[in-house]
Amino acid sequence: MSNTEPGRIQRHSRAVRLVHGANAVATIVLIATGLALGDDISPVLVAALGGHAVANEMHRLGGVAFAVVLLLAAGLFHSPTRGLMRDLVYFRHEECRWPQSFLKCILSPAHGHTAFHNGRFDPAQRLILLLLLCSTALVAAAGVYLYILPATPQWVFLIAIRIHIYGAWIAIIALCLHAFAGLGVLHTHCGLLGAMFGDGTVPVRTARTLWPGWTQKNLHDLKGNPHGPPSHTPS
């Protein structure tokens, strides 16, 4: 058995990539139609979406469908959902040193790797994902309320509108940060695009920088089971 370390390591399965892709498409449609309803994009783009009436129906029906699918998915796949939430909210004491070392790593590539942690996600990634999940939950809850529109005082309606709008802007900011990291613009995130929009692998060097404990464990498991989950060497 070869002891040569692979150049890439499997980060996400095909199923995860497909779900992420579908979620990305649905989110883009909801954001585009929401911005159209608020006249926050060019009238040309609003017309391309079919006008305000069509955008309104797409946003209302699509938003409710999105919320229902998310709830069903969380219920049907409760074990992975619990695992995801546990990985997001459980911060370890060792991770307190990670932000400072990460900043040094960005400013000075020669600095080396970031501080060690055992998380599946790095601390910054977790904060952004938590912000995205919480804001999306608020937007979805307010959106379903506005769709049903029960007989309540006007001030409740106005609060729901504000929660929906402000929550959406927070989610958009979180999504922009998430997309920026995923595009691999920073040298610390080089090659991340393929994790979700490629073969599901990332360079081992990048994985060691962002998720050192996770990478160490998976490389160890790979050596013990070379016929297990694929980890690719450079071609």
Side-chain angles (χ1 to χ4, degrees), residues 11-12 20 23 83-85 87-89 91 120-137 170-171 173-179 181-182 196 211:
R11 178 67 177 169
H12 296 300
H20 181 272
N23 184 56
L84 173 64
M85 295 308 300
D87 288 338
L88 288 178
V89 302
F91 283 82
R120 177 157 61 120
F121 306 104
D122 64 71
Q125 183 182 15
R126 252 182 292 172
L127 288 174
I128 292 172
L129 289 176
L130 281 172
L131 180 63
L132 180 58
L133 286 174
C134 291
S135 57
T136 300
I170 293 172
I173 292 171
L175 276 171
C176 288
L177 293 172
H178 179 64
M196 281 300 188
W211 322 290

Side-chain angles (χ1 to χ4, degrees), residues 60 141-150 156-158 160-162 164:
R60 291 174 70 248
V144 171
Y145 170 84
L146 293 170
Y147 180 82
I148 298 173
L149 208 59
V156 177
F157 170 77
L158 294 175
I161 283 284
R162 282 167 173 75
H164 194 70

Side-chain angles (χ1 to χ4, degrees), residues 2 40 67 79 118 126 222:
S2 173
D40 293 314
S79 183
N118 278 304
R126 252 182 292 172
L222 182 66

Side-chain angles (χ1 to χ4, degrees), residues 137-204:
L138 284 173
V139 171
V144 171
Y145 170 84
L146 293 170
Y147 180 82
I148 298 173
L149 208 59
T152 53
Q154 185 180 23
W155 65 268
V156 177
F157 170 77
L158 294 175
I159 289 177
I161 283 284
R162 282 167 173 75
I163 289 174
H164 194 70
I165 293 173
Y166 297 146
W169 281 112
I170 293 172
I172 289 171
I173 292 171
L175 276 171
C176 288
L177 293 172
H178 179 64
F180 179 76
L183 288 172
V185 177
L186 298 174
H187 69 86
T188 51
H189 292 66
C190 181
L192 278 194
L193 188 61
M196 281 300 188
F197 297 101
D199 60 0
T201 67
V202 297
V204 169

